[in-house]
Amino acid sequence: EFNGAGAVASVALSSRGKMALTGTHDDHVILWDVQSGRQLRKYGPMERYGFFKDTLPPGYPVPVKTVAISQDESRVFAST
């Protein structure tokens, strides 16, 4: 259970299975400790680029549809 994550749109597990990354429907990315269920870091709202920058009003939430954690667990990736 991801308490405080809101509606989850995407999930990725780290290569060692110790961390999870969630993308939410309200434009945030959250890094979790799997064992404790604790939030390690919260990113967002995401910056608007390309299509979203010109077509949606500022502050309009966009689901984060894709998330990933690098193999060495040093970086996180997300896209809307």
Side-chain angles (χ1 to χ4, degrees):
E1 183 174 317
F2 298 112
N3 285 328
V8 174
S10 55
V11 177
L13 288 174
S14 65
S15 61
R16 292 180 236 170
K18 295 185 178 200
M19 293 183 289
L21 190 65
T22 58
T24 69
H25 281 278
D26 68 351
D27 211 18
H28 289 84
V29 175
I30 305 171
L31 185 65
W32 302 87
D33 177 275
V34 171
Q35 187 172 6
S36 70
R38 184 173 59 92
Q39 280 189 23
L40 300 175
R41 185 150 185 196
K42 186 173 185 177
Y43 307 88
M46 293 184 62
E47 293 292 322
R48 302 284 189 267
Y49 297 102
F51 174 80
F52 292 119
K53 182 177 181 181
D54 298 325
T55 59
L56 296 175
Y60 188 89
V62 175
V64 179
K65 296 179 182 177
T66 306
V67 292
I69 302 172
S70 65
Q71 183 73 23
D72 66 0
E73 301 178 349
S74 66
R75 294 183 181 156
V76 298
F77 305 92
S79 68
T80 56

